[in-house]
Amino acid sequence: MFRFATLDDFSAIDQLIVKKAKEFQTAGKSQWVKYLEPSRSDYVRHDLTNGTVFVYERDQQVVGAVSLIPPTDWDHHLWDDADGAVYLHRLVTDSNVKGERIGERLMQHALANTPSTIRLDCVADNAFLNNYYPRFGFRYMGERNGFSLFEKQA
């Protein structure tokens, strides 16, 4: 079931993110290294209090989440005109539901329920993600500081 996240979901989302960051590290990937630090909780708290976070819940357990937030310092660093869009960050699913397309369904739900222009970034050398986002209508806008930039108009 899709729903809006609340502050009660903080711990579940935080644990999903650290679990995924550890899996990336084990696989030799450098993305999400910052989420191995305790400060990752600040990102989750920020998302829940300043933006819209959607979760996918099964059997009363959060197994996926995605954040749509106003531009942060990170977004201003990557985009020349950061205002006027919301930014998709921290799309995460529990590896226990791998293959069930929870991430894809979360993305579709978030896009269908967001009337604003949406932007996101991903590591430029991550071929999977660079091919994944255009499937949802995101347009490649270029690369900056080693990150691919994507945008989907409202």
Side-chain angles (χ1 to χ4, degrees), residues 86 110-118 153-154:
V86 296
L111 294 175
N113 289 282
T114 304
S116 305
T117 295
I118 301 172
Q153 294 291 323

Side-chain angles (χ1 to χ4, degrees), residues 4 8 11 23 28 30 36 47 70 73 96-97 112 117 127 150 153:
F4 289 108
D8 291 338
S11 181
E23 290 169 359
S30 61
L36 295 170
D47 294 359
D73 289 343
N96 293 332
V97 297
T117 295
F150 291 91
Q153 294 291 323

Side-chain angles (χ1 to χ4, degrees), residues 59-74:
D59 300 325
Q60 300 172 346
Q61 181 179 7
V62 172
V63 295
V66 62
S67 299
L68 292 151
I69 58 174
T72 63
D73 289 343
W74 173 259

